mmCIF file of all heavy atoms in Angstrom:
data_model
loop_
_atom_site.group_PDB
_atom_site.id
_atom_site.type_symbol
_atom_site.label_atom_id
_atom_site.label_comp_id
_atom_site.label_asym_id
_atom_site.label_seq_id
_atom_site.Cartn_x
_atom_site.Cartn_y
_atom_site.Cartn_z
ATOM 1 N N GLY A 283 6.033 -4.868 14.959
ATOM 2 C CA GLY A 283 4.664 -5.146 14.563
ATOM 3 C C GLY A 283 4.338 -4.396 13.289
ATOM 4 O O GLY A 283 4.892 -3.326 13.007
ATOM 5 N N LEU A 321 -3.937 -4.169 18.329
ATOM 6 C CA LEU A 321 -2.862 -3.328 18.840
ATOM 7 C C LEU A 321 -2.737 -3.461 20.355
ATOM 8 O O LEU A 321 -1.627 -3.599 20.890
ATOM 9 C CB LEU A 321 -3.138 -1.877 18.451
ATOM 10 C CG LEU A 321 -1.997 -0.874 18.619
ATOM 11 C CD1 LEU A 321 -0.801 -1.286 17.787
ATOM 12 C CD2 LEU A 321 -2.482 0.520 18.225
ATOM 13 N N MET A 327 6.757 -4.590 22.275
ATOM 14 C CA MET A 327 7.038 -4.277 20.875
ATOM 15 C C MET A 327 7.848 -2.982 20.843
ATOM 16 O O MET A 327 7.443 -1.976 21.430
ATOM 17 C CB MET A 327 5.727 -4.127 20.104
ATOM 18 C CG MET A 327 5.884 -4.159 18.599
ATOM 19 S SD MET A 327 4.319 -4.628 17.774
ATOM 20 C CE MET A 327 3.256 -3.255 18.245
ATOM 21 N N HIS A 329 9.033 -1.466 17.822
ATOM 22 C CA HIS A 329 8.657 -0.671 16.656
ATOM 23 C C HIS A 329 7.331 -1.163 16.109
ATOM 24 O O HIS A 329 7.135 -2.372 15.919
ATOM 25 C CB HIS A 329 9.724 -0.771 15.557
ATOM 26 C CG HIS A 329 10.988 -0.039 15.858
ATOM 27 N ND1 HIS A 329 11.126 1.320 15.668
ATOM 28 C CD2 HIS A 329 12.175 -0.477 16.338
ATOM 29 C CE1 HIS A 329 12.351 1.688 16.018
ATOM 30 N NE2 HIS A 329 13.009 0.621 16.428
ATOM 31 N N LEU A 330 6.419 -0.227 15.858
ATOM 32 C CA LEU A 330 5.171 -0.517 15.167
ATOM 33 C C LEU A 330 5.186 0.245 13.847
ATOM 34 O O LEU A 330 5.348 1.467 13.825
ATOM 35 C CB LEU A 330 3.963 -0.075 15.996
ATOM 36 C CG LEU A 330 2.610 -0.102 15.261
ATOM 37 C CD1 LEU A 330 2.202 -1.524 14.914
ATOM 38 C CD2 LEU A 330 1.527 0.594 16.091
ATOM 39 N N VAL A 331 5.033 -0.487 12.751
ATOM 40 C CA VAL A 331 4.931 0.110 11.421
ATOM 41 C C VAL A 331 3.466 0.058 10.997
ATOM 42 O O VAL A 331 2.859 -1.016 10.975
ATOM 43 C CB VAL A 331 5.821 -0.635 10.407
ATOM 44 C CG1 VAL A 331 5.610 -0.089 9.002
ATOM 45 C CG2 VAL A 331 7.290 -0.520 10.808
ATOM 46 N N VAL A 332 2.906 1.212 10.699
ATOM 47 C CA VAL A 332 1.507 1.313 10.283
ATOM 48 C C VAL A 332 1.475 1.649 8.803
ATOM 49 O O VAL A 332 2.004 2.688 8.379
ATOM 50 C CB VAL A 332 0.759 2.390 11.093
ATOM 51 C CG1 VAL A 332 -0.697 2.498 10.619
ATOM 52 C CG2 VAL A 332 0.802 2.069 12.583
ATOM 53 N N CYS A 392 6.682 2.236 22.679
ATOM 54 C CA CYS A 392 6.865 1.663 21.344
ATOM 55 C C CYS A 392 6.929 2.798 20.334
ATOM 56 O O CYS A 392 6.062 3.680 20.325
ATOM 57 C CB CYS A 392 5.710 0.714 21.013
ATOM 58 S SG CYS A 392 5.739 0.041 19.343
ATOM 59 N N ARG A 393 7.942 2.785 19.501
ATOM 60 C CA ARG A 393 8.039 3.801 18.448
ATOM 61 C C ARG A 393 7.095 3.457 17.315
ATOM 62 O O ARG A 393 7.136 2.349 16.763
ATOM 63 C CB ARG A 393 9.474 3.879 17.919
ATOM 64 C CG ARG A 393 9.654 4.856 16.758
ATOM 65 C CD ARG A 393 9.422 6.305 17.197
ATOM 66 N NE ARG A 393 10.455 6.734 18.106
ATOM 67 C CZ ARG A 393 10.256 7.578 19.116
ATOM 68 N NH1 ARG A 393 9.042 8.062 19.348
ATOM 69 N NH2 ARG A 393 11.256 7.917 19.907
ATOM 70 N N VAL A 394 6.248 4.406 16.943
ATOM 71 C CA VAL A 394 5.288 4.236 15.856
ATOM 72 C C VAL A 394 5.807 4.966 14.626
ATOM 73 O O VAL A 394 6.197 6.141 14.702
ATOM 74 C CB VAL A 394 3.905 4.765 16.254
ATOM 75 C CG1 VAL A 394 2.937 4.674 15.078
ATOM 76 C CG2 VAL A 394 3.359 3.998 17.456
ATOM 77 N N THR A 395 5.802 4.269 13.495
ATOM 78 C CA THR A 395 6.196 4.861 12.222
ATOM 79 C C THR A 395 5.119 4.554 11.194
ATOM 80 O O THR A 395 4.697 3.404 11.048
ATOM 81 C CB THR A 395 7.543 4.293 11.739
ATOM 82 O OG1 THR A 395 8.547 4.559 12.722
ATOM 83 C CG2 THR A 395 7.957 4.921 10.412
#
Side-chain angles (χ1 to χ4, degrees):
L321 193 59
M327 195 158 64
H329 288 279
L330 170 66
V331 175
V332 179
C392 175
R393 177 66 67 214
V394 176
T395 301

